[in-house]
Amino acid sequence: MLRAIYPGSFDPVTNGHLDIIKRASRIADELIIGVLKNKTKSSLFSMEERVTMLEQVVAGYGNVSVMSFEGLLAGFARRLDAGVVIRGLRAAGDFTYECRMSQANSALYPGLETLFLPAAPEYSHISSSMVKEIASYGGDTGLFVPQTVALQLKQKFAGRDLVS
Ligand code: PNS
C-alpha cells in the first residue's frame, strides 16, 4: 500500500500541478495533496480557497484527497504514515533546491523517499507565480489553470488598482 503526499503552496493550483496529480495518482494507491500554511510566504488565496479549488479539480479521482498542513513536511508525512513525497521538476534549475529538500526530509524522517516527476513539456513553463502576474495585469490565465481557478483569479484582481 503506497501512500504518497504531494505537497505545495498551490497558490493557486495550475494545469502543471494537475498533470503531476494525474500521473502520481496512477503510481500511488493513495495520494494526499498537502497544502502548506506558510508562515513566511504571503499567499494570494486563503488556505480555505486553495483547498476548495483543489478539491473541485480532483473530485473525479477516487484515490486523491486534499489536506492542509503546518510546520515540517516530514512531520506531516510521519503523522499520515506516508512513505513517499511527490515533487514535480519543471527544469534542471529546480533540481538543486528539490534535492536538498528531499535530503532534509529523509534525515528528519528516515525512510521517507521523494519521487520526482518531470513536468510534461507543455507544462514546464507554468508556475503559480506566473499565472498570478498574468492575472494581475488583467491577462487571461485560462491556458494555464483550470477554468474555475481562472475565474477566481479574475475575481481576485477585479477592481484592484493594477498598473500605474
Ligand atoms: O509549491 P512550493 O511552494 O514549491 O512547495 C514547497 C513545500 C511546501 C513543499 C516546502 O516549502 C515544504 O515542504 N515546506 C514545509 C516546511 C518544511 O518541511 N521545510 C523543510 C524542508 S527543507
Side-chain angles (χ1 to χ4, degrees), residues 6-11 17 34-38 41 69-75 85-87 90 97-98 100-105 108 128:
Y6 179 36
S9 307
F10 302 104
D11 185 39
H17 292 131
V35 187
L36 178 69
K37 192 170 186 179
N38 203 326
K41 228 160 78 177
F69 76 102
E70 261 181 280
L72 291 174
L73 174 59
V85 168
I86 306 279
R87 291 288 286 170
R90 284 167 305 186
Y97 165 72
E98 292 293 339
R100 286 204 191 112
M101 197 161 75
S102 142
Q103 287 159 341
N105 286 333
L108 290 165
S128 298

Side-chain angles (χ1 to χ4, degrees), residues 57-79:
V57 296
V58 303
Y61 294 92
N63 64 338
V64 179
S65 57
V66 185
M67 290 177 78
S68 60
F69 76 102
E70 261 181 280
L72 291 174
L73 174 59
F76 183 55
R78 192 192 290 269
R79 288 194 297 280

Side-chain angles (χ1 to χ4, degrees), residues 57-148:
V57 296
V58 303
Y61 294 92
N63 64 338
V64 179
S65 57
V66 185
M67 290 177 78
S68 60
F69 76 102
E70 261 181 280
L72 291 174
L73 174 59
F76 183 55
R78 192 192 290 269
R79 288 194 297 280
L80 294 179
D81 197 21
V84 172
V85 168
I86 306 279
R87 291 288 286 170
L89 293 179
R90 284 167 305 186
D94 285 347
F95 184 72
T96 311
Y97 165 72
E98 292 293 339
C99 191
R100 286 204 191 112
M101 197 161 75
S102 142
Q103 287 159 341
N105 286 333
S106 58
L108 290 165
Y109 179 21
L112 183 64
E113 294 288 356
T114 302
L115 189 59
F116 295 121
L117 295 183
E122 61 270 38
Y123 301 122
S124 63
H125 60 291
I126 303 177
S127 68
S128 298
S129 327
M130 189 197 76
V131 297
K132 281 183 282 192
E133 185 168 344
I134 293 171
S136 77
Y137 289 106
D140 181 9
T141 57
L143 282 175
F144 313 114
V145 294
Q147 279 312 312
T148 170

Side-chain angles (χ1 to χ4, degrees), residues 47-60:
M47 172 57 74
E48 204 187 342
E49 288 170 327
R50 285 180 281 153
V51 167
T52 304
M53 282 188 278
L54 274 159
E55 282 172 345
Q56 284 168 351
V57 296
V58 303

